[in-house]
Amino acid sequence: ELATILGTTGFMGQLVEGGAEMLLQGVRESEATPIDCVSAGYRLQKVVYQASPVRFVASQSWIGADQNGPSYSGFFGAVKFATADDAQAFFAASADKWHRCNGQTLVLHQPEHGADGLSRITDVVVDSRIVSAVVLHDDGSTIQRALGVASDCVVDVEVTNVADNSGSGAAGAVG
């Protein structure tokens, strides 16, 4: 399915499953400004989900390539909440935050890396079941982000388009 959506063949990584401890801890609350933009900028962060009743987390990575080398990489996570209402509430709050972060620069204060990391959040699109954004990192990389809700789960997607960022917004992540 990913090969069809993204236009290239690829390989799936190992499925990782577990409880809330499987959420990523790459961004700490004290490091990010504005903190509400972490969800749009980074996938499956503990700081984003920690106040919610998370019951289960599953994630898997994917890399696509053609004769010219890698063209896409993706990271796909599913977060199961205690109830469908909890998932919908988390999604609604996240969609509002993403909308407010459109055009903002997220600053990560990480002195151990020698400098602050900057990520510009753009092209935010919100609808009733999916919110998406494009994130431009100061290292020159561009990622597509999408967050969707279905039943008692939120799907958290990050796609990096190495070969081409043709102005299609976050179409790969949404797909």
Side-chain angles (χ1 to χ4, degrees):
E1 289 176 34
L2 290 170
T4 301
I5 291 168
L6 299 175
T8 186
T9 59
F11 304 95
M12 292 299 293
Q14 183 176 0
L15 178 64
V16 178
E17 301 174 299
E21 74 278 359
M22 300 308 296
L23 293 167
L24 303 175
Q25 298 184 48
V27 177
R28 291 184 293 277
E29 192 167 349
S30 62
E31 296 175 338
T33 307
I35 189 66
D36 282 350
C37 294
V38 171
S39 176
Y42 294 90
R43 67 183 190 261
L44 282 180
Q45 291 297 308
K46 181 178 180 179
V47 69
V48 172
Y49 289 89
Q50 67 188 0
S52 302
V54 172
R55 297 295 184 252
F56 185 78
V57 178
S59 63
Q60 197 163 19
S61 60
W62 179 84
I63 188 157
D66 60 19
Q67 66 274 12
N68 298 318
S71 56
Y72 278 100
S73 64
F75 185 89
F76 310 92
V79 178
K80 181 179 174 70
F81 289 81
T83 68
D85 287 344
D86 292 331
Q88 185 61 48
F90 176 86
F91 174 79
S94 295
D96 181 58
K97 289 175 184 177
W98 286 37
H99 176 71
R100 286 186 282 124
C101 290
N102 194 28
Q104 296 250 0
T105 298
L106 172 62
V107 179
L108 288 184
H109 310 285
Q110 297 178 320
E112 69 274 11
H113 294 291
D116 290 345
L118 305 175
S119 301
R120 182 122 173 109
I121 299 164
T122 66
D123 299 323
V124 174
V125 176
V126 178
D127 72 26
S128 64
R129 302 201 61 81
I130 298 175
V131 60
S132 63
V134 173
V135 182
L136 310 169
H137 291 291
D138 62 350
D139 66 3
S141 64
T142 300
I143 63 169
Q144 299 175 18
R145 295 275 295 124
L147 197 71
V149 64
S151 184
D152 61 352
C153 293
V154 167
V155 177
D156 194 326
V157 176
E158 177 181 291
V159 175
T160 302
N161 182 340
V162 177
D164 175 33
N165 189 19
S166 58
S168 62
V174 170

